[in-house]
Amino acid sequence: MQNSIFACYHDLYNFDDIGSLTYSTVGNAPFRKFVVIFENQPHFGGQCSSNLSSFQLILYETFNFIDVQIIDKPACTAWMGGRALIGILNQDGTNSLAPPGRDTGVWTASQEGWRFSRPFENATYNYVVCDDDEDGIAVFNLNLVKEELSSGAPESVLIYTSQSDAEAGTNGISSSDFSNVNPNEQTLFAFLMVQ
């Protein structure tokens, strides 16, 4: 295998149309999310078919996050030893990453989440306001930015004036209103906290 995402990968076999498998794209470009939900999907194998797994995979546009959210994943060792996997595999199949205890072993999980991301993303989001007096200085409502970047949890977005502060988690902008210092353009750095 190559260039793969394993979101709670294990043998499933929905022969009786039990549960559902749904997908959708939510949000607005360039910050959309592609969400795939496996709900109450039976495991493969005669003795295992009464076990049902529910989980979702979320792919984030621009940020390139990969979220795996496990609602419930039981284990049945009667088929293929009950092995399952959460992880990612690179383009040529030579490098992989899996959370602790979730790499091709027997495991159960309930209400568990994992995020795969690059150490620090430099995705760009542009926020423009009209400068009525044309002096190059304006007041920006950072709450609007936070809502746009994370509509489900805007309080999880922290904003900084420098990349070094964002990486260190220090000197965050606490006010919802921000006036740019550099005329006509100001670069800020946002960090999304994972809870």
Side-chain angles (χ1 to χ4, degrees), residues 78-186:
W79 175 257
M80 297 298 290
R83 291 186 297 275
L85 168 65
I86 295 174
I88 56 176
L89 185 62
N90 73 342
Q91 187 172 0
D92 61 7
T94 59
N95 195 9
S96 63
L97 181 63
R102 300 293 179 253
D103 188 5
T104 63
V106 179
W107 49 269
T108 62
S110 180
Q111 304 299 314
E112 177 178 291
W114 297 98
R115 170 166 284 174
F116 299 93
S117 68
R118 295 182 179 198
F120 191 83
E121 282 295 325
N122 289 320
T124 301
Y125 169 82
N126 293 310
Y127 177 41
V128 179
V129 297
C130 292
D131 181 15
D132 294 331
D133 60 6
E134 299 181 5
D135 66 351
I137 304 296
V139 176
F140 297 83
N141 183 342
L142 296 182
N143 286 338
L144 296 175
V145 174
K146 291 178 179 184
E147 180 66 32
E148 184 67 27
L149 293 177
S150 180
S151 61
E155 68 281 356
S156 67
V157 178
L158 304 176
I159 300 179
Y160 303 88
T161 57
S162 73
Q163 182 172 343
S164 60
D165 282 347
E167 290 174 341
T170 58
N171 303 316
I173 300 172
S174 58
S175 173
S176 61
D177 292 329
F178 177 80
S179 295
N180 59 312
V181 177
N182 303 324
N184 300 314
E185 185 174 325
Q186 179 77 44

Side-chain angles (χ1 to χ4, degrees), residues 11-118:
D11 285 334
L12 300 174
Y13 182 56
N14 195 344
F15 58 93
D16 282 337
D17 292 328
I18 297 170
S20 62
L21 173 57
T22 56
Y23 64 92
S24 68
T25 302
V26 297
N28 299 307
F31 300 104
R32 293 172 291 195
K33 292 180 261 188
F34 180 69
V35 182
V36 182
I37 302 173
F38 292 78
E39 184 176 10
N40 293 324
Q41 295 296 300
H43 291 209
F44 184 82
Q47 295 174 339
C48 299
S49 62
S50 62
N51 287 356
L52 305 176
S53 287
S54 295
F55 57 94
Q56 68 179 354
L57 167 69
I58 307 168
L59 305 177
Y60 291 78
E61 182 180 31
T62 302
F63 292 113
N64 296 321
F65 297 146
I66 301 168
D67 284 353
V68 177
Q69 302 291 327
I70 308 297
I71 299 164
D72 189 41
K73 191 262 176 223
C76 178
T77 58
W79 175 257
M80 297 298 290
R83 291 186 297 275
L85 168 65
I86 295 174
I88 56 176
L89 185 62
N90 73 342
Q91 187 172 0
D92 61 7
T94 59
N95 195 9
S96 63
L97 181 63
R102 300 293 179 253
D103 188 5
T104 63
V106 179
W107 49 269
T108 62
S110 180
Q111 304 299 314
E112 177 178 291
W114 297 98
R115 170 166 284 174
F116 299 93
S117 68
R118 295 182 179 198

